[in-house]
Structures are given as C-alpha cells and as structure tokens.
Amino acid sequence: MTTDLQSNWYPIASSSDLPKRHVYQAQLLGREFAVWRADDGYVNVWENRCLHRGVRLSIGINNGTELRCQYHGWRYANRTAGCTYIPAHPADAPARTICNNTYPAQEAYGLVWAGELAVGELPAIDGFESATVLRPVPIMAPQKMVNQALLGYAWDDTCESAENSDGSVTITATDGSAVRVFVQPVDSNHSVARALYNRKVAGEERIALLKRHSWLMQELRDRTETQAARQETPAPYEPVIAKVSEDLVDIPAISVDGRKADLRVQVARKEMTADGIASLRLEAIKDQLPTFQPGAHIDVHLPNGLVRQYSVTNGPGETDHYTIGVKREPDSRGGSVAIHDTVGEGDVLAISAPRNNFPLRRDAVHTIFIAGGIGVTPLIAMARALNAQGLEFEFHYFVQSDDHVAFKRELSEFEGALNIHKGQSPKETGETLTEVLANPGYARHVYICGPGPMLEATRQIAADKGWADEAVHFEYFKNTTELDDSNSFEIDLARSAMTLTVPAGKSILDVLRENGINMSSSCEQGACGTCRCGVIEGDVIHQDVYLSDGEKAEGRSIMTCVSRAASNRLILDI
Amino acid sequence: MSILKCSDPIALNLWYAIAPLDEVLIGETAQTILLEQPIAYTRNHTGEIVAWVHDVASGGNPETDRLPIKERYGYFWTSLGTPDADIFPIPEYDEQDRRNIHAASFGVNVSAPRLVENFLDMGHFPYVHTDILGAEPHTEVKEYFVEVSKERDEILATNCKFWQPMAAAVASGGMDVDYVYRVPHPYSAVLYKSNPTDPERMDVIAIFIQPTSQETLRVHMLLSLLDESNDDISIRLFQQTIFGQDKPILENQYPKRLPLDPRAETPIRADKSAIAYRRWLSDKGITYGVIPAAA
C-alpha cells in the first residue's frame, strides 16, 4: 500500500525519548520502527524486525555503535543497518550484504521526524527555532479527526488557529505565544499529538507550561475519542513487509561481482601516522559506505591505473568513512608511491566495496594478534571489534622503532592488551613469538599479518607449539612465490556445464572471464583469497599464499588467479 | 457440530494433546480451545475421558458432539476431524527405567510453527538461555545433517552439537552436547539430547502444541529422562526457566504466523532444519498458523 501520507514527514518521537543506549519503539501508519541513537549522535529509524527471524529490534541492545538482536546476536551497524556479524558462523564473513530496512529520519526542534517515503529535507518550521517540546498525547482517533479537533484548541480567549499546508495546526494568542501541533498517524485509528511551544522555557515555568497543555490536551483527547467511538472504526493499515532480496534466499553461493570499483570516495584527510606510513580517511561522496567487517580490505583504483588492496582499520560503528594505512614501499611498482606522492586531500578515488577474506571469529575465549609493520591495519579493526564487545585478547606489534608505530590513537583504545616490540632482530622476534605462542588451547585463536618472512616464521612456531591449523589465521600482503604458468590443462565447470582449456601463459581466472563467467577477484596474485573456488575433482598445484597448508593438502579449493592443475583436468564448482 | 473457524483440512485432521491425564478428574468439566473451537472435557464415572465440542449457549452435548480420544505419552489427545494416521511414535517413552514427567503447559501468543522453529534452533542458546544452554563466546552452530524421511513423513536433524555451560539439571560444568531433532507432526517436535550420566542413551524432550488460534497456542512439554538425582520439581523448574526465556522472544516475532515465502526472512546455514521444516509445511499445503508462499 502506498499513500500520499507516506511521503510526509511526521514526528515519531521526542529527542528525549532517545537517551543513551536506549532503543525506542515507534509506529507510523501501522508500521513499527526501532529508533535508536548511536553514541556519535546519529538517529537510526529502522524497520522493527530483524531480517533473520522477524524479532523486534526494539527489544535489542544498543551498544552505542551497533544494534544487537536479542534472538541470535546478529549485529547491525549504525547508519547503514548492514549486518556485521552472525555469531552462529563465527568463521565466516557475512558473504552477502544483509541490510535492514531503514527510513528517512531527521532530528530537529527537539523531535525525531520520519516518513516511510519522505524525500528531501524537513521543511523549516518558522517561528519555532527556539521551542519547547510539549508532552505528546496519544489519542485513539483517526489523524484527520484529531486535526479537526485541534482547530478548536485554545488556552485563552485570544487564541486563533489555522491549518498549515503540511496538515499541522498552529494556534496563536495575541501575546505572541504560539503552539504548533503535529499529529502522528500511528495507525488508522490511533494518533499522537506532538506539539511545539514557540519559546524556550525552563525550570518551574516549563513544568507549568507542560501541565497546562497536558490538561487542555487531555480534554481534547476525551472529546475526540468520544467522537471517534461513535463512528465505525477504520480498518488498520496493513504495512507491506518488504521481501528480502533474491540473493538472500539461499545459503550463500559464490559472488559474481568481478573486480569492480563502483564506489567513489573523497580523501577527507591524509596524514603521516608513522615514519613512511600515510593514513587516509576516505569519505563517501554521496550516500553511505557499505558495511565492512573487521579484517576486510578494499581495492583502491589509483590515478595511474594500478589497483591495490588496503585493509580498513575502522572500529565498529564507524560507518561514515574508511581509514586505511599505506606504507611507502621502497621497491614500489607505483602503487604506494602514487598514494604518497600524488593523492592528496580532496581527491576522489574509485574503490571497491569492502571484501572480507580474513574474517574474525568472535567465539574465542582468547585471541592473540601478531602484527608486523604495516600488517597492523586489519588487526587494528579486529582488536577494536573485540574490545568493543569486551572479549579477551592480546595484541603484539613488531616495529623497527617508536617512529614506526602507526595509528597510535586507535591503538590507545586497547592499551591494556597492547605489547609493542621494538627493534627486535629476527632471532629475538622468534624468541618473543615462542613465548607468546606457548599455550595453544580450546577456543584460542591467533591472527597474524605482516611481512612474508615473519609470517612464515610465526606460522612455523605456532605449528611447533601445537597450534591447530584452523586456529591460526593469517593474511599475506603479497605473494612472493615464483609463479609457473607453463602448463596447459582443461577445466570442467560443474554447475555451468562447460569445458574450457587453460593454455600456458593464462590463468584460470583469465580463461573464465574470456568465456563470460564473472568471477570476483582482488589482488590477482594469490594473496587475498577473493577468487577462491571449489574443486570437485583433480589435483592442484597451489601457488598462492592464502590457503593454509591443511587446506592445500585437502585440495578442495583453488585460487583461480595463480594456481593450476597438476592433472590434465580439474572439475570446478562453478 | 457448528461451523468450524479453522478451514485447513490438514490441521483439522491432526491429533492434538489437550491435557495431562492426571489433571482430568472425575466429575470435573474443564474447557479449552482447539483451532479457535471451544471444547470441553471430563472423566466420567467409569474412568473414561470424554471430550466434546462446547457451545457457549447450550454447553454442548457430550454424547452427540463427542470428539475422538486417545491416551498417549501421559496426555489425552483429540481431533476436530477424522485423523487418518495414528499419533507419531516415541518408543523411548515405554522404556522401564525412564522418568516420564509432564514439565508444563504454557500459553504463548505466537503461531505454532514459530514455536516449532524455536525448538529446533540452537543458535539462540547463548543469547536467550545465557549461561544455561549456551554462553558467549561459544556461539558457533556446527554443520549438521537434515533429512526429510519420506517413509515416516518427518524431519530429522542429526549430528547437531552445541557447547553448553549447564545442559541439564544434572550437568555441572560446560560440555559439547549432542542433539537429534525430529518433527513428526506439523505442530509437534521431539528432541534427543546426550545425557551426562549415560553416554549410550539420550534424554527426550517433546513439545505437543495445541493451537488455540492461528496466532496463539498452548504447548504441553513432556520429559522422558534418565535423570535419577533430581526431584520432579527441580526438573520442572529447570524446563520452565528455559521456556520462560523463550516466551518473550517468541511473542516479539513479527509476523506472528510463520512466513513460508523463502524471501520473507534470511536463512543462514544454521537454519537448515528450519528451512526443511518450512518446505515440508509448504509441500503439505498447511495454511493454519503460516503465511503461505504466493503461488
């Protein structure tokens, strides 16, 4: 059902209904809203049901940056309402964009305004710039009847009333005092009169004002409800429950969005966060940025045509920007140098939506983060997420010197868990890691990100200390393996029923794309994991650094950008 | 018989548990509602349970408006139609060394299928039954198997495991608990749960739902346990605590009826059994307590 009513702005709550960390239940034209203010002040007006199993979000928990559903702990981000975590599958990043329905909302004049299909800005309410919000009065009567009744509202003999073009009623007395009443149509036979008084008053005077109008409004309520009870009750509104998008129906399949950069961001701030490391705050040019999960990276398309991956360092709820850290690589092929030397504040960059191939489990009893140099960036986002949730972790950051410690402000959020190891030789680093990794155990997990040699060493130490493969999570920046693409073989695509030949010199990914099969990819050097694909039959020569040794031995996945067949034929799950 | 409000022939022809046998007393007539139809029941002087369609004006006639009766699993069951099948089997109920306990009958303002889904669901344990059936951060629902048995016409979920800090009244300390779930009736479900005292056998918990309308219900909960150390009261209290935690969640589900359109809600892998249940209901053509998928 679409009506003209839906395109109007209505007050649905007073600002004072949204104290810190509260979730308020509102209703407009039969549709329930969960209304909550994040700690950054943003007011969210969402459909009042979790997309998973329909539980009201107004009974959820507002943790200041995210709203958590009471039923299964799904977390939805401030602003975007994108789902950031599904606790039942802690090892997966939510592969799909699960986003709750949000509605246009504004906070102004001490009221929260919303409209299901409202567009543009809330029109200015002249003469009420400095107003007092009166007590809202619920009335069991249709909105039109309440509006009509309000034309007779008066607190002294000089009051005159007039209906405004938006349907609200203004009552003015000769002394200049005025009240403007907006009627919120909660349902077809249920309204709330929300009024503004045109002067800011406080203390005793305010109490007296509220009392007086509550009394008068109560009289109006009684009259109107008596009148409404004599009429036939209109049928309640039947808000349509929007269907979830087609791609959410089934359990997640391989995404087919290719290497796209459909977001445009502006470099809002660029600063040196450590010696040789620039931090860039990227803000959306229009609309909102998609939801990210800790560990996610974005592809940044640079002015010189290169594409580079950078991890998002944001904490939970920081959804109005992405912050990345870029190290100037001495042997740069042009990516980091372009960012350091060419890109400046105010520049517009094309980026991809965040992708998470380094998901964070939040079901660990203890988490150990091991960062080397610029590898700290995804781990900062992870640590901030655990910290916000009050989960236990320790953070080890290996750097050359104090000058090389990046993102000090973000690190200070979890000072108690932070250990910075400065200027250690490879041997000393090994000793420190041996100590740090001394105790593997049930539900203990390690996340490692850093330069190749350090990563290799850390994984080796973890294996020696008895850490299970699946408890050790890592992300390489790049693949330094010498790639061999000299063989030729066939691939059978099980789901697409096609057989293709991969010649020497081309990757599986190239051949898939040439044949019109859209496959996601990002780094295209076997480091990021985006182009992962299932293997049904055949042996694989793994040349990536993404899969763990166990996964490589199992042979059930392949990185299509670099890895190849060891046999004549591979059957892929595409 | 007056015209029934429920027009779903499948729902009408099912058996429903109405009350525990030991609460039906000679000479006392009680009333309840089944599928929006008021019914009355008593135990006559020969000890036989009699149930009939209740008429608000006349009280109804226990002879002419008489409903079929079966006694099974400690409850009496009836139907407003003519059931073509017997009540589903729970063989464990007859094992000599088990304690069969009626845990509770609860009223809930939600449709019967929403409650069945909740009963099949493990992912909510750490959030709804915090520190009893689950606790953060042990939130993972591990892979399990679901099959729809054609022969028995029931859903079976096996190899389910969930970490629980205090899985039953006799448990002390956390452990991974094994579960098997059965849905042998559109509005009833049975779960088998590994038992801390006997590794070879499982405790049984069954829910038999009496839908009073499309969006309200009474549920009768049966326990068939191997527990020898707790008294009936503490066992009941444990189950009632669990149920009391689910009730406010269930009553805040919107819509109250279970939507069968696959695009109504967002399933994840952990919901495999719920997906199978929704499809099974769709295939049966059930309309009572659900929002059928548009054809």
Side-chain angles (χ1 to χ4, degrees), chain A residues 211-227:
Chain A
K211 259 191 190 166
R212 184 166 187 207
H213 283 283
S214 293
W215 187 259
L216 290 167
M217 277 286 180
Q218 193 58 44
E219 289 179 346
L220 180 134
R221 174 186 182 173
D222 290 345
R223 283 196 305 276
T224 315
E225 290 190 344
T226 308
Q227 186 193 349

Side-chain angles (χ1 to χ4, degrees), chain A residues 412-434:
Chain A
S412 69
E413 288 177 15
F414 48 87
E415 256 167 353
L418 183 64
N419 300 280
I420 297 181
H421 308 281
K422 290 172 202 158
Q424 294 194 344
S425 68
K427 184 165 171 284
E428 289 165 334
T429 304
E431 285 161 10
T432 308
L433 288 171
T434 306

Side-chain angles (χ1 to χ4, degrees), chain B residues 25-37:
Chain B
L25 304 175
I26 292 173
E28 282 187 19
T29 301
Q31 285 173 28
T32 186
I33 295 173
L34 176 62
L35 306 170
E36 294 160 75
Q37 176 61 52

Side-chain angles (χ1 to χ4, degrees), chain B residues 61-276:
Chain B
N61 185 331
E63 294 311 316
T64 57
D65 297 334
R66 196 161 173 165
L67 295 169
I69 297 281
K70 270 185 193 287
E71 295 186 11
R72 195 69 58 84
Y73 313 133
Y75 301 86
F76 90 81
W77 298 62
T78 191
S79 173
L80 297 180
T82 42
D84 50 12
D86 194 3
I87 298 164
F88 53 88
I90 307 178
E92 293 77 9
Y93 184 84
D94 295 321
E95 291 173 6
Q96 291 304 314
D97 59 344
R98 281 182 184 265
R99 287 170 66 187
N100 293 317
I101 304 168
H102 165 59
S105 295
F106 266 97
V108 190
N109 284 317
V110 77
S111 64
R114 285 277 196 199
L115 176 59
V116 171
E117 268 199 7
N118 168 267
F119 192 73
L120 298 178
D121 184 275
M122 293 181 285
H124 74 287
F125 290 167
Y127 297 95
V128 180
H129 309 298
T130 311
D131 295 338
I132 303 175
L133 299 183
E136 284 186 278
H138 308 284
T139 55
E140 181 165 16
V141 177
K142 298 172 191 81
E143 291 296 325
Y144 60 91
F145 306 121
V146 181
E147 57 176 310
V148 179
S149 158
K150 281 264 176 333
E151 179 203 336
R152 299 212 293 188
D153 190 26
E154 68 173 58
I155 295 167
L156 189 65
T158 54
N159 201 33
C160 310
K161 283 184 196 308
F162 205 83
W163 189 91
Q164 300 197 349
M166 185 176 120
V170 292
S172 60
M175 61 176 193
D176 246 334
V177 174
D178 297 313
Y179 286 91
V180 173
Y181 291 93
R182 285 172 62 198
V183 188
H185 176 295
Y187 311 128
S188 294
V190 186
L191 82 79
Y192 298 78
K193 176 171 183 174
S194 59
N195 177 291
T197 56
D198 184 347
E200 300 298 313
R201 298 163 73 198
M202 294 177 112
D203 283 334
V204 181
I205 302 175
I207 52 163
F208 309 130
I209 303 175
Q210 168 196 348
T212 46
S213 76
Q214 300 223 49
E215 300 189 349
T216 58
L217 60 82
R218 268 161 53 85
V219 56
H220 309 284
M221 190 188 280
L222 167 75
L223 309 174
S224 184
L225 307 181
L226 298 158
D227 181 340
E228 282 168 12
S229 50
N230 287 282
D231 57 27
D232 284 10
I233 289 182
S234 52
I235 290 173
R236 283 200 181 105
L237 277 177
F238 180 82
Q239 291 302 333
Q240 291 179 9
T241 301
I242 299 296
F243 205 87
Q245 291 172 328
D246 281 317
K247 185 174 151 91
I249 297 289
L250 288 164
E251 295 186 339
N252 275 294
Q253 276 184 293
Y254 180 83
K256 286 185 180 296
R257 282 182 280 160
L258 186 73
L260 298 184
D261 183 335
R263 283 182 61 188
E265 292 176 346
T266 314
I268 54 171
R269 285 202 310 283
D271 300 320
K272 266 185 353 195
S273 56
I275 296 168

Side-chain angles (χ1 to χ4, degrees), chain A residues 437-457:
Chain A
L437 296 172
N439 299 310
Y442 179 69
R444 291 169 69 89
H445 287 262
V446 184
Y447 292 79
I448 319 163
C449 188
M454 178 198 163
L455 230 154
E456 298 291 350

Side-chain angles (χ1 to χ4, degrees), chain A residues 201-263:
Chain A
V201 292
E204 291 294 316
E205 199 188 341
R206 175 172 167 269
I207 300 291
L209 176 82
L210 296 186
K211 259 191 190 166
R212 184 166 187 207
H213 283 283
S214 293
W215 187 259
L216 290 167
M217 277 286 180
Q218 193 58 44
E219 289 179 346
L220 180 134
R221 174 186 182 173
D222 290 345
R223 283 196 305 276
T224 315
E225 290 190 344
T226 308
Q227 186 193 349
R230 276 192 235 110
Q231 296 189 358
E232 196 176 326
T233 309
Y237 292 119
E238 287 181 17
V240 176
I241 302 173
K243 291 187 175 189
V244 300
S245 63
E246 195 80 61
D247 63 321
L248 298 183
V249 169
D250 293 315
I251 292 167
I254 297 167
S255 72
V256 285
D257 58 1
R259 190 166 175 163
K260 278 190 211 153
D262 38 19
L263 299 177

